[in-house]
Amino acid sequence: MNLTAEQIQQNWIDLEETIKSYISEPRRSQLLEFYSKYSERIMMMPAAHKKEYHNSFPGGYVDHVLRVIECALKINDIWVEMGVDSTTYTKEELVFSALNHDLGKMGDEENESYITQTDNWRREKLGEEYMFNTKVPFASVPDRGLFLLQSHGIQYSFNEMITIQTHDGLYDEGNKKYLLNFMPEQKPRTSLPFIVHQADLMAARIEFEREWLPKFKSNGGNPKKNFKLETNKYNQSSPNIKTKALGSVKSESLMNLLNNI
C-alpha cells in the first residue's frame, strides 16, 4: 500500500478540519497548535511498524486516525438508534478520543517511535518497514498519548481518559480492570469506550483487508510470494513525493524514509 503526496496532504487537511468541526475552544486551538508543532512527524508516520499489522507506510497513521473517527461517528449512530444512553458522553468526547487514541505512537517530544528499518533481512522477510526507536523510553501507547496531551496543557475528560486508555479492548490485558468487571458499580458508566474500540477494530480490519486480501487472491494463497518484488517497486516510486508532501524535513529518519519512496 502506498499513498501519494497529494493524498498525504489531503489527509492532513482533513485532520485539521475535523478538529475545527468537532472540538470546541480552548481545546480546538490547543490541538491545532499541537498538531502543527509536530506536523512533519505525524503527517508521515505509519500506523504500525510491520506490514502484517495495518497501514505500515508513510502517512498511514493519519489515514488510520481519520478512518477511526469516521467509523466512530457511524457506529455511534447505530448505538443511538439501538437505545444507548447517549447522555453519558458527548460527540466531542467521541471525536477527541478517536482522534487521539493512538497519539502515543508518535514518540516523545524529541524522538519519533518508528524509524526506518535498517536490517534488510527483517524488512524483506518479516515485512518490518520500521523499527522501534530505542531513544524513546518505554510506555504503552495510551499512557504516552495521555502524557503528551497533559504535558501540552490539553485537558481531557474522565470519559476521554478511560476511552483512550482502553481503546484496544480486551486485546490488551491491562484493560481487564476496566472492562472485565461483573459488579455493576465497577462497569464503565458510559458506552463510549466500547464505541471507540469497535471503531478502531473496524478500521484496522479494513486496512488489513485492503493490504492483504488482494495478495491472497493473486498469489495462490501465499500473500508473501512476491513480497520482495513489491517492496523494491515501492522504493522506486517518484522521488518528488518528499518535496510535494513536505516543504522541508528536519528529521533525519524521516529524510531517510522519504529518500526511499
Side-chain angles (χ1 to χ4, degrees):
M1 186 67 190
N2 192 13
L3 295 178
T4 66
E6 291 77 15
Q7 288 173 317
I8 292 172
Q9 285 181 313
Q10 186 58 55
N11 280 347
W12 189 254
I13 292 171
D14 291 345
L15 188 77
E16 292 181 322
E17 289 302 315
T18 297
I19 294 172
K20 294 175 184 177
S21 298
Y22 289 98
I23 308 299
S24 60
E25 294 291 356
R27 297 201 301 179
R28 178 191 301 142
S29 295
Q30 292 172 329
L31 283 170
L32 288 172
E33 181 180 356
F34 175 88
Y35 278 93
S36 176
K37 179 179 180 180
Y38 297 104
S39 60
E40 178 185 301
R41 189 194 310 182
I42 298 175
M43 186 188 301
M44 298 302 298
M45 277 170 52
H49 80 290
K50 193 173 183 179
K51 281 185 174 292
E52 278 78 356
Y53 299 156
H54 62 103
N55 274 24
S56 179
F57 50 79
Y61 174 82
V62 175
D63 182 76
H64 171 68
V65 167
L66 289 173
R67 187 169 293 103
V68 173
I69 293 171
E70 182 178 3
C71 289
L73 289 168
K74 292 182 177 179
I75 290 172
N76 180 63
D77 288 342
I78 296 174
W79 278 71
V80 170
E81 181 182 345
M82 296 305 296
V84 72
D85 184 355
S86 59
T87 66
T88 61
Y89 62 92
T90 67
K91 187 165 288 188
E92 178 171 344
E93 288 180 319
L94 175 73
V95 173
F96 183 94
S97 301
L99 171 69
N100 297 297
H101 77 283
D102 268 346
L103 184 62
K105 290 183 176 181
M106 68 166 273
D108 58 25
E109 288 86 347
E110 304 298 328
N111 304 285
E112 56 261 49
S113 285
Y114 299 129
I115 57 178
T116 305
Q117 177 60 263
T118 57
D119 187 326
N120 288 333
W121 186 89
R122 297 190 71 87
R123 179 193 290 268
E124 295 178 3
K125 302 299 183 182
L126 301 180
E128 294 181 1
E129 293 290 336
Y130 303 87
M131 60 184 181
F132 293 105
N133 189 351
T134 56
K135 292 181 180 180
V136 180
F138 172 77
S140 70
V141 169
D143 286 347
R144 190 184 304 282
L146 291 168
F147 175 80
L148 285 166
L149 290 170
Q150 66 87 21
S151 66
H152 287 79
I154 303 171
Q155 294 187 346
Y156 42 81
S157 69
F158 184 83
N159 278 351
E160 292 163 343
M161 179 189 72
I162 297 299
T163 301
I164 291 172
Q165 193 75 51
T166 63
H167 76 267
D168 280 327
L170 291 175
Y171 288 99
D172 185 338
E173 290 283 328
N175 292 335
K176 285 185 175 181
K177 60 183 178 290
Y178 290 112
L179 304 178
L180 201 60
N181 289 307
F182 301 100
M183 299 298 291
E185 64 271 18
Q186 294 180 331
K187 292 179 180 291
R189 305 292 174 94
T190 173
S191 291
L192 185 61
F194 303 102
I195 296 171
V196 173
H197 170 57
Q198 289 182 354
D200 186 36
L201 185 65
M202 177 184 289
R205 174 63 194 185
I206 290 168
E207 289 154 11
F208 169 82
E209 290 188 357
R210 185 177 59 177
E211 176 79 26
W212 288 100
L213 291 191
K215 294 184 174 79
F216 277 108
K217 293 175 182 178
S218 63
N219 294 331
N222 181 4
K224 295 186 178 180
K225 183 177 180 181
N226 296 319
F227 183 78
K228 183 175 181 180
L229 175 63
E230 291 176 2
T231 300
N232 290 338
K233 186 168 118 178
Y234 170 79
N235 288 337
Q236 292 171 359
S237 300
S238 170
N240 292 327
I241 287 183
K242 67 175 180 292
T243 55
K244 292 169 68 177
L246 297 170
S248 63
V249 176
K250 301 180 183 67
S251 167
E252 181 178 352
S253 63
L254 277 180
M255 181 62 76
N256 291 335
L257 182 152
L258 287 170
N259 283 333
N260 286 326
I261 294 181

